[in-house]
Amino acid sequence: MQVTRDPSQARDAVRHAERPLGLVPTMGALHAGHLELVARARAECRTVAVSIFVNPLQFGPGEDFERYPRAFDGDVAALRAAGADVIYAPDVATMYPPGFATSVDPGPVAERYEGALRPGHFRGVATVCVKLFATMCPERAYFGAKDAQQVAVLRRVVADLNLPLELVVLPTVREPDGLALSSRNAYLDAGERGTAPQIHRALDAIVHAVRCGETDRERAVAHGRAELRAPLREAYLDVVDPDTFAAPDVVRPPALAIASAWLGATRLIDNERIA
Ligand code: AMP
């Protein structure tokens, strides 16, 4: 396994490697959700590359960029055990050298929900992913359904910019009580951790209501909202089109129930498909 912080070395490491190449972009602090993506890439691709980069461009002022968990040595050990071939972990100064000025603006899908709460977030995500794709040239890139709006944004970017790669999206890995694994779960204290599964329960309630015949979006969402209790604070709870993240008045599958809630200073997100 080759570990490099240098983009030319990363490209050289994969240029003559066996194809297909699968890339798993991450911000590190790896958990079982990330490792599921690596395992799938390992099963489907001859060469597996993983990027580790906490991308300042996708964090707003006052967000958790500085305190975001970093666990590089443990990540390298986990990726070695998972059979990754290349780890690309650039420094911020390498990714964004002085004079860096170009960014990728993904349009309306990036402006709703997460995009509204985190202005510029998806521009940062899209820009770093296009840079990673350009550096590594993977045939496949692996992403988690947990970040569903990120997936919708990247699908738009890949289609609009004719990027020659396939996005592979894997189901959300959860704790036994339903909480979606997230690097940010480490911020929760014991009380917050106990409350956090309400988010998944709210999504379940929405999905159940629609399955039982509810087609009115606001009424379906109200079923979910009944599961959310203080001290948890809703940031958003809705049913949207999985591609555009527009909210229809009438819910027709396939749709996506989406949720975000604050627990103290930590905001968590989750979603569930309505098939
Ligand atoms: P991050 O390090 O948070 O940028 O996540 C890197 C990738 O792992 C993204 O594609 C995420 O959607 C994915 N991911 C994060 N949490 C989970 C999870 N619980 N299950 C599956 N994939 C996940």
PDB file of all heavy atoms in Angstrom, residues 152-182:
ATOM      1  N   ALA A 152     -26.703  13.572  -4.842  1.00  0.00           N
ATOM      2  CA  ALA A 152     -27.482  14.242  -5.888  1.00  0.00           C
ATOM      3  C   ALA A 152     -26.647  15.326  -6.573  1.00  0.00           C
ATOM      4  O   ALA A 152     -26.667  15.465  -7.802  1.00  0.00           O
ATOM      5  CB  ALA A 152     -28.746  14.851  -5.280  1.00  0.00           C
ATOM      6  N   VAL A 153     -25.896  16.072  -5.778  1.00  0.00           N
ATOM      7  CA  VAL A 153     -25.034  17.123  -6.334  1.00  0.00           C
ATOM      8  C   VAL A 153     -23.976  16.510  -7.252  1.00  0.00           C
ATOM      9  O   VAL A 153     -23.757  16.976  -8.379  1.00  0.00           O
ATOM     10  CB  VAL A 153     -24.365  17.918  -5.186  1.00  0.00           C
ATOM     11  CG1 VAL A 153     -23.184  18.732  -5.694  1.00  0.00           C
ATOM     12  CG2 VAL A 153     -25.383  18.811  -4.489  1.00  0.00           C
ATOM     13  N   LEU A 154     -23.340  15.447  -6.780  1.00  0.00           N
ATOM     14  CA  LEU A 154     -22.247  14.855  -7.577  1.00  0.00           C
ATOM     15  C   LEU A 154     -22.773  14.177  -8.833  1.00  0.00           C
ATOM     16  O   LEU A 154     -22.105  14.192  -9.874  1.00  0.00           O
ATOM     17  CB  LEU A 154     -21.426  13.896  -6.711  1.00  0.00           C
ATOM     18  CG  LEU A 154     -20.623  14.606  -5.611  1.00  0.00           C
ATOM     19  CD1 LEU A 154     -19.930  13.591  -4.709  1.00  0.00           C
ATOM     20  CD2 LEU A 154     -19.600  15.580  -6.200  1.00  0.00           C
ATOM     21  N   ARG A 155     -23.969  13.602  -8.763  1.00  0.00           N
ATOM     22  CA  ARG A 155     -24.565  13.047  -9.996  1.00  0.00           C
ATOM     23  C   ARG A 155     -24.739  14.151 -11.032  1.00  0.00           C
ATOM     24  O   ARG A 155     -24.487  13.965 -12.218  1.00  0.00           O
ATOM     25  CB  ARG A 155     -25.919  12.402  -9.695  1.00  0.00           C
ATOM     26  CG  ARG A 155     -25.848  11.058  -9.042  1.00  0.00           C
ATOM     27  CD  ARG A 155     -27.173  10.297  -9.247  1.00  0.00           C
ATOM     28  NE  ARG A 155     -27.270   9.142  -8.384  1.00  0.00           N
ATOM     29  CZ  ARG A 155     -26.558   8.031  -8.508  1.00  0.00           C
ATOM     30  NH1 ARG A 155     -25.652   7.929  -9.472  1.00  0.00           N
ATOM     31  NH2 ARG A 155     -26.729   7.025  -7.674  1.00  0.00           N
ATOM     32  N   ARG A 156     -25.227  15.303 -10.574  1.00  0.00           N
ATOM     33  CA  ARG A 156     -25.421  16.459 -11.463  1.00  0.00           C
ATOM     34  C   ARG A 156     -24.069  16.875 -12.059  1.00  0.00           C
ATOM     35  O   ARG A 156     -23.945  17.092 -13.259  1.00  0.00           O
ATOM     36  CB  ARG A 156     -26.022  17.578 -10.610  1.00  0.00           C
ATOM     37  CG  ARG A 156     -26.574  18.782 -11.239  1.00  0.00           C
ATOM     38  CD  ARG A 156     -27.866  18.581 -11.976  1.00  0.00           C
ATOM     39  NE  ARG A 156     -27.588  18.371 -13.375  1.00  0.00           N
ATOM     40  CZ  ARG A 156     -28.368  17.702 -14.223  1.00  0.00           C
ATOM     41  NH1 ARG A 156     -29.504  17.174 -13.820  1.00  0.00           N
ATOM     42  NH2 ARG A 156     -28.025  17.547 -15.458  1.00  0.00           N
ATOM     43  N   VAL A 157     -23.063  16.978 -11.209  1.00  0.00           N
ATOM     44  CA  VAL A 157     -21.733  17.430 -11.657  1.00  0.00           C
ATOM     45  C   VAL A 157     -21.152  16.449 -12.683  1.00  0.00           C
ATOM     46  O   VAL A 157     -20.650  16.853 -13.735  1.00  0.00           O
ATOM     47  CB  VAL A 157     -20.781  17.575 -10.443  1.00  0.00           C
ATOM     48  CG1 VAL A 157     -19.336  17.755 -10.888  1.00  0.00           C
ATOM     49  CG2 VAL A 157     -21.220  18.742  -9.558  1.00  0.00           C
ATOM     50  N   VAL A 158     -21.241  15.150 -12.373  1.00  0.00           N
ATOM     51  CA  VAL A 158     -20.677  14.130 -13.276  1.00  0.00           C
ATOM     52  C   VAL A 158     -21.383  14.169 -14.630  1.00  0.00           C
ATOM     53  O   VAL A 158     -20.735  14.114 -15.683  1.00  0.00           O
ATOM     54  CB  VAL A 158     -20.771  12.728 -12.628  1.00  0.00           C
ATOM     55  CG1 VAL A 158     -20.521  11.621 -13.640  1.00  0.00           C
ATOM     56  CG2 VAL A 158     -19.778  12.631 -11.467  1.00  0.00           C
ATOM     57  N   ALA A 159     -22.718  14.322 -14.600  1.00  0.00           N
ATOM     58  CA  ALA A 159     -23.461  14.379 -15.865  1.00  0.00           C
ATOM     59  C   ALA A 159     -23.158  15.670 -16.613  1.00  0.00           C
ATOM     60  O   ALA A 159     -22.859  15.651 -17.813  1.00  0.00           O
ATOM     61  CB  ALA A 159     -24.966  14.270 -15.581  1.00  0.00           C
ATOM     62  N   ASP A 160     -23.195  16.797 -15.900  1.00  0.00           N
ATOM     63  CA  ASP A 160     -23.057  18.093 -16.576  1.00  0.00           C
ATOM     64  C   ASP A 160     -21.660  18.300 -17.146  1.00  0.00           C
ATOM     65  O   ASP A 160     -21.501  18.953 -18.176  1.00  0.00           O
ATOM     66  CB  ASP A 160     -23.383  19.236 -15.602  1.00  0.00           C
ATOM     67  CG  ASP A 160     -24.862  19.298 -15.250  1.00  0.00           C
ATOM     68  OD1 ASP A 160     -25.659  18.551 -15.849  1.00  0.00           O
ATOM     69  OD2 ASP A 160     -25.222  20.101 -14.357  1.00  0.00           O
ATOM     70  N   LEU A 161     -20.642  17.778 -16.457  1.00  0.00           N
ATOM     71  CA  LEU A 161     -19.260  17.984 -16.914  1.00  0.00           C
ATOM     72  C   LEU A 161     -18.732  16.783 -17.699  1.00  0.00           C
ATOM     73  O   LEU A 161     -17.534  16.727 -18.006  1.00  0.00           O
ATOM     74  CB  LEU A 161     -18.341  18.290 -15.719  1.00  0.00           C
ATOM     75  CG  LEU A 161     -18.721  19.517 -14.875  1.00  0.00           C
ATOM     76  CD1 LEU A 161     -17.681  19.757 -13.787  1.00  0.00           C
ATOM     77  CD2 LEU A 161     -18.852  20.763 -15.751  1.00  0.00           C
ATOM     78  N   ASN A 162     -19.615  15.834 -18.029  1.00  0.00           N
ATOM     79  CA  ASN A 162     -19.223  14.644 -18.819  1.00  0.00           C
ATOM     80  C   ASN A 162     -18.028  13.924 -18.204  1.00  0.00           C
ATOM     81  O   ASN A 162     -17.107  13.517 -18.916  1.00  0.00           O
ATOM     82  CB  ASN A 162     -18.873  15.049 -20.271  1.00  0.00           C
ATOM     83  CG  ASN A 162     -20.008  15.802 -20.928  1.00  0.00           C
ATOM     84  OD1 ASN A 162     -19.975  17.026 -21.006  1.00  0.00           O
ATOM     85  ND2 ASN A 162     -21.015  15.086 -21.372  1.00  0.00           N
ATOM     86  N   LEU A 163     -18.012  13.797 -16.893  1.00  0.00           N
ATOM     87  CA  LEU A 163     -16.870  13.130 -16.261  1.00  0.00           C
ATOM     88  C   LEU A 163     -16.972  11.632 -16.524  1.00  0.00           C
ATOM     89  O   LEU A 163     -18.031  11.030 -16.321  1.00  0.00           O
ATOM     90  CB  LEU A 163     -16.863  13.411 -14.751  1.00  0.00           C
ATOM     91  CG  LEU A 163     -16.810  14.890 -14.363  1.00  0.00           C
ATOM     92  CD1 LEU A 163     -16.733  15.045 -12.845  1.00  0.00           C
ATOM     93  CD2 LEU A 163     -15.630  15.593 -15.021  1.00  0.00           C
ATOM     94  N   PRO A 164     -15.881  11.022 -16.975  1.00  0.00           N
ATOM     95  CA  PRO A 164     -15.948   9.625 -17.406  1.00  0.00           C
ATOM     96  C   PRO A 164     -15.801   8.651 -16.241  1.00  0.00           C
ATOM     97  O   PRO A 164     -14.824   7.912 -16.140  1.00  0.00           O
ATOM     98  CB  PRO A 164     -14.780   9.515 -18.383  1.00  0.00           C
ATOM     99  CG  PRO A 164     -13.783  10.495 -17.870  1.00  0.00           C
ATOM    100  CD  PRO A 164     -14.556  11.603 -17.207  1.00  0.00           C
ATOM    101  N   LEU A 165     -16.759   8.677 -15.330  1.00  0.00           N
ATOM    102  CA  LEU A 165     -16.701   7.742 -14.207  1.00  0.00           C
ATOM    103  C   LEU A 165     -18.109   7.442 -13.739  1.00  0.00           C
ATOM    104  O   LEU A 165     -19.045   8.190 -14.012  1.00  0.00           O
ATOM    105  CB  LEU A 165     -15.851   8.303 -13.065  1.00  0.00           C
ATOM    106  CG  LEU A 165     -16.306   9.605 -12.425  1.00  0.00           C
ATOM    107  CD1 LEU A 165     -17.099   9.320 -11.162  1.00  0.00           C
ATOM    108  CD2 LEU A 165     -15.114  10.470 -12.091  1.00  0.00           C
ATOM    109  N   GLU A 166     -18.205   6.323 -13.027  1.00  0.00           N
ATOM    110  CA  GLU A 166     -19.495   5.890 -12.488  1.00  0.00           C
ATOM    111  C   GLU A 166     -19.509   6.160 -10.989  1.00  0.00           C
ATOM    112  O   GLU A 166     -18.536   5.832 -10.292  1.00  0.00           O
ATOM    113  CB  GLU A 166     -19.653   4.393 -12.756  1.00  0.00           C
ATOM    114  CG  GLU A 166     -20.933   3.789 -12.234  1.00  0.00           C
ATOM    115  CD  GLU A 166     -20.888   2.251 -12.219  1.00  0.00           C
ATOM    116  OE1 GLU A 166     -19.931   1.692 -12.781  1.00  0.00           O
ATOM    117  OE2 GLU A 166     -21.787   1.648 -11.624  1.00  0.00           O
ATOM    118  N   LEU A 167     -20.601   6.748 -10.503  1.00  0.00           N
ATOM    119  CA  LEU A 167     -20.757   6.901  -9.052  1.00  0.00           C
ATOM    120  C   LEU A 167     -21.441   5.652  -8.515  1.00  0.00           C
ATOM    121  O   LEU A 167     -22.495   5.258  -9.021  1.00  0.00           O
ATOM    122  CB  LEU A 167     -21.608   8.121  -8.722  1.00  0.00           C
ATOM    123  CG  LEU A 167     -21.070   9.490  -9.140  1.00  0.00           C
ATOM    124  CD1 LEU A 167     -21.977  10.593  -8.585  1.00  0.00           C
ATOM    125  CD2 LEU A 167     -19.647   9.697  -8.662  1.00  0.00           C
ATOM    126  N   VAL A 168     -20.849   5.043  -7.520  1.00  0.00           N
ATOM    127  CA  VAL A 168     -21.449   3.875  -6.874  1.00  0.00           C
ATOM    128  C   VAL A 168     -21.883   4.320  -5.473  1.00  0.00           C
ATOM    129  O   VAL A 168     -21.075   4.865  -4.717  1.00  0.00           O
ATOM    130  CB  VAL A 168     -20.449   2.709  -6.778  1.00  0.00           C
ATOM    131  CG1 VAL A 168     -21.114   1.484  -6.154  1.00  0.00           C
ATOM    132  CG2 VAL A 168     -19.870   2.384  -8.151  1.00  0.00           C
ATOM    133  N   VAL A 169     -23.163   4.122  -5.166  1.00  0.00           N
ATOM    134  CA  VAL A 169     -23.717   4.633  -3.905  1.00  0.00           C
ATOM    135  C   VAL A 169     -24.146   3.460  -3.036  1.00  0.00           C
ATOM    136  O   VAL A 169     -24.917   2.601  -3.476  1.00  0.00           O
ATOM    137  CB  VAL A 169     -24.912   5.570  -4.180  1.00  0.00           C
ATOM    138  CG1 VAL A 169     -25.487   6.103  -2.877  1.00  0.00           C
ATOM    139  CG2 VAL A 169     -24.463   6.720  -5.088  1.00  0.00           C
ATOM    140  N   LEU A 170     -23.641   3.433  -1.806  1.00  0.00           N
ATOM    141  CA  LEU A 170     -23.926   2.306  -0.901  1.00  0.00           C
ATOM    142  C   LEU A 170     -24.832   2.723   0.250  1.00  0.00           C
ATOM    143  O   LEU A 170     -24.800   3.871   0.684  1.00  0.00           O
ATOM    144  CB  LEU A 170     -22.608   1.760  -0.340  1.00  0.00           C
ATOM    145  CG  LEU A 170     -22.024   0.612  -1.160  1.00  0.00           C
ATOM    146  CD1 LEU A 170     -21.613   1.090  -2.533  1.00  0.00           C
ATOM    147  CD2 LEU A 170     -20.863  -0.006  -0.452  1.00  0.00           C
ATOM    148  N   PRO A 171     -25.622   1.750   0.756  1.00  0.00           N
ATOM    149  CA  PRO A 171     -26.564   2.066   1.838  1.00  0.00           C
ATOM    150  C   PRO A 171     -25.853   2.556   3.100  1.00  0.00           C
ATOM    151  O   PRO A 171     -24.680   2.238   3.327  1.00  0.00           O
ATOM    152  CB  PRO A 171     -27.256   0.729   2.121  1.00  0.00           C
ATOM    153  CG  PRO A 171     -26.896  -0.174   1.016  1.00  0.00           C
ATOM    154  CD  PRO A 171     -25.670   0.353   0.346  1.00  0.00           C
ATOM    155  N   THR A 172     -26.596   3.281   3.899  1.00  0.00           N
ATOM    156  CA  THR A 172     -26.077   3.828   5.146  1.00  0.00           C
ATOM    157  C   THR A 172     -25.840   2.719   6.166  1.00  0.00           C
ATOM    158  O   THR A 172     -26.725   1.893   6.404  1.00  0.00           O
ATOM    159  CB  THR A 172     -27.087   4.845   5.716  1.00  0.00           C
ATOM    160  OG1 THR A 172     -27.267   5.872   4.737  1.00  0.00           O
ATOM    161  CG2 THR A 172     -26.615   5.458   7.017  1.00  0.00           C
ATOM    162  N   VAL A 173     -24.663   2.730   6.769  1.00  0.00           N
ATOM    163  CA  VAL A 173     -24.356   1.788   7.848  1.00  0.00           C
ATOM    164  C   VAL A 173     -24.787   2.441   9.160  1.00  0.00           C
ATOM    165  O   VAL A 173     -24.486   3.611   9.408  1.00  0.00           O
ATOM    166  CB  VAL A 173     -22.850   1.452   7.871  1.00  0.00           C
ATOM    167  CG1 VAL A 173     -22.516   0.538   9.037  1.00  0.00           C
ATOM    168  CG2 VAL A 173     -22.429   0.832   6.550  1.00  0.00           C
ATOM    169  N   ARG A 174     -25.485   1.663   9.982  1.00  0.00           N
ATOM    170  CA  ARG A 174     -26.097   2.210  11.202  1.00  0.00           C
ATOM    171  C   ARG A 174     -25.642   1.471  12.451  1.00  0.00           C
ATOM    172  O   ARG A 174     -25.242   0.306  12.378  1.00  0.00           O
ATOM    173  CB  ARG A 174     -27.634   2.081  11.117  1.00  0.00           C
ATOM    174  CG  ARG A 174     -28.211   2.844   9.965  1.00  0.00           C
ATOM    175  CD  ARG A 174     -29.738   2.700   9.853  1.00  0.00           C
ATOM    176  NE  ARG A 174     -30.165   3.473   8.693  1.00  0.00           N
ATOM    177  CZ  ARG A 174     -30.290   4.792   8.687  1.00  0.00           C
ATOM    178  NH1 ARG A 174     -30.069   5.471   9.799  1.00  0.00           N
ATOM    179  NH2 ARG A 174     -30.629   5.439   7.584  1.00  0.00           N
ATOM    180  N   GLU A 175     -25.758   2.149  13.584  1.00  0.00           N
ATOM    181  CA  GLU A 175     -25.624   1.489  14.883  1.00  0.00           C
ATOM    182  C   GLU A 175     -26.855   0.602  15.078  1.00  0.00           C
ATOM    183  O   GLU A 175     -27.888   0.806  14.425  1.00  0.00           O
ATOM    184  CB  GLU A 175     -25.571   2.534  16.004  1.00  0.00           C
ATOM    185  CG  GLU A 175     -24.422   3.525  15.908  1.00  0.00           C
ATOM    186  CD  GLU A 175     -23.085   2.939  16.350  1.00  0.00           C
ATOM    187  OE1 GLU A 175     -23.043   1.720  16.681  1.00  0.00           O
ATOM    188  OE2 GLU A 175     -22.100   3.686  16.346  1.00  0.00           O
ATOM    189  N   PRO A 176     -26.789  -0.357  16.016  1.00  0.00           N
ATOM    190  CA  PRO A 176     -27.948  -1.227  16.236  1.00  0.00           C
ATOM    191  C   PRO A 176     -29.225  -0.454  16.570  1.00  0.00           C
ATOM    192  O   PRO A 176     -30.317  -0.900  16.235  1.00  0.00           O
ATOM    193  CB  PRO A 176     -27.512  -2.101  17.428  1.00  0.00           C
ATOM    194  CG  PRO A 176     -26.028  -2.105  17.354  1.00  0.00           C
ATOM    195  CD  PRO A 176     -25.625  -0.761  16.802  1.00  0.00           C
ATOM    196  N   ASP A 177     -29.118   0.723  17.190  1.00  0.00           N
ATOM    197  CA  ASP A 177     -30.330   1.496  17.523  1.00  0.00           C
ATOM    198  C   ASP A 177     -30.768   2.410  16.379  1.00  0.00           C
ATOM    199  O   ASP A 177     -31.664   3.242  16.565  1.00  0.00           O
ATOM    200  CB  ASP A 177     -30.124   2.304  18.811  1.00  0.00           C
ATOM    201  CG  ASP A 177     -28.995   3.313  18.699  1.00  0.00           C
ATOM    202  OD1 ASP A 177     -28.484   3.541  17.586  1.00  0.00           O
ATOM    203  OD2 ASP A 177     -28.614   3.887  19.744  1.00  0.00           O
ATOM    204  N   GLY A 178     -30.169   2.278  15.223  1.00  0.00           N
ATOM    205  CA  GLY A 178     -30.627   3.020  14.056  1.00  0.00           C
ATOM    206  C   GLY A 178     -29.829   4.274  13.736  1.00  0.00           C
ATOM    207  O   GLY A 178     -29.921   4.802  12.626  1.00  0.00           O
ATOM    208  N   LEU A 179     -29.023   4.766  14.679  1.00  0.00           N
ATOM    209  CA  LEU A 179     -28.246   5.982  14.412  1.00  0.00           C
ATOM    210  C   LEU A 179     -27.252   5.724  13.273  1.00  0.00           C
ATOM    211  O   LEU A 179     -26.489   4.756  13.302  1.00  0.00           O
ATOM    212  CB  LEU A 179     -27.490   6.410  15.679  1.00  0.00           C
ATOM    213  CG  LEU A 179     -26.568   7.621  15.504  1.00  0.00           C
ATOM    214  CD1 LEU A 179     -27.363   8.892  15.188  1.00  0.00           C
ATOM    215  CD2 LEU A 179     -25.707   7.838  16.746  1.00  0.00           C
ATOM    216  N   ALA A 180     -27.262   6.599  12.274  1.00  0.00           N
ATOM    217  CA  ALA A 180     -26.316   6.465  11.175  1.00  0.00           C
ATOM    218  C   ALA A 180     -24.900   6.741  11.678  1.00  0.00           C
ATOM    219  O   ALA A 180     -24.673   7.711  12.411  1.00  0.00           O
ATOM    220  CB  ALA A 180     -26.674   7.451  10.065  1.00  0.00           C
ATOM    221  N   LEU A 181     -23.955   5.879  11.299  1.00  0.00           N
ATOM    222  CA  LEU A 181     -22.562   6.137  11.683  1.00  0.00           C
ATOM    223  C   LEU A 181     -22.116   7.448  11.053  1.00  0.00           C
ATOM    224  O   LEU A 181     -22.410   7.730   9.894  1.00  0.00           O
ATOM    225  CB  LEU A 181     -21.644   5.015  11.192  1.00  0.00           C
ATOM    226  CG  LEU A 181     -21.866   3.612  11.744  1.00  0.00           C
ATOM    227  CD1 LEU A 181     -20.685   2.717  11.360  1.00  0.00           C
ATOM    228  CD2 LEU A 181     -22.027   3.618  13.249  1.00  0.00           C
ATOM    229  N   SER A 182     -21.390   8.232  11.833  1.00  0.00           N
ATOM    230  CA  SER A 182     -20.854   9.504  11.351  1.00  0.00           C
ATOM    231  C   SER A 182     -19.648   9.858  12.198  1.00  0.00           C
ATOM    232  O   SER A 182     -19.638   9.603  13.407  1.00  0.00           O
ATOM    233  CB  SER A 182     -21.914  10.608  11.496  1.00  0.00           C
ATOM    234  OG  SER A 182     -21.316  11.888  11.397  1.00  0.00           O
TER     235      SER A 182
END
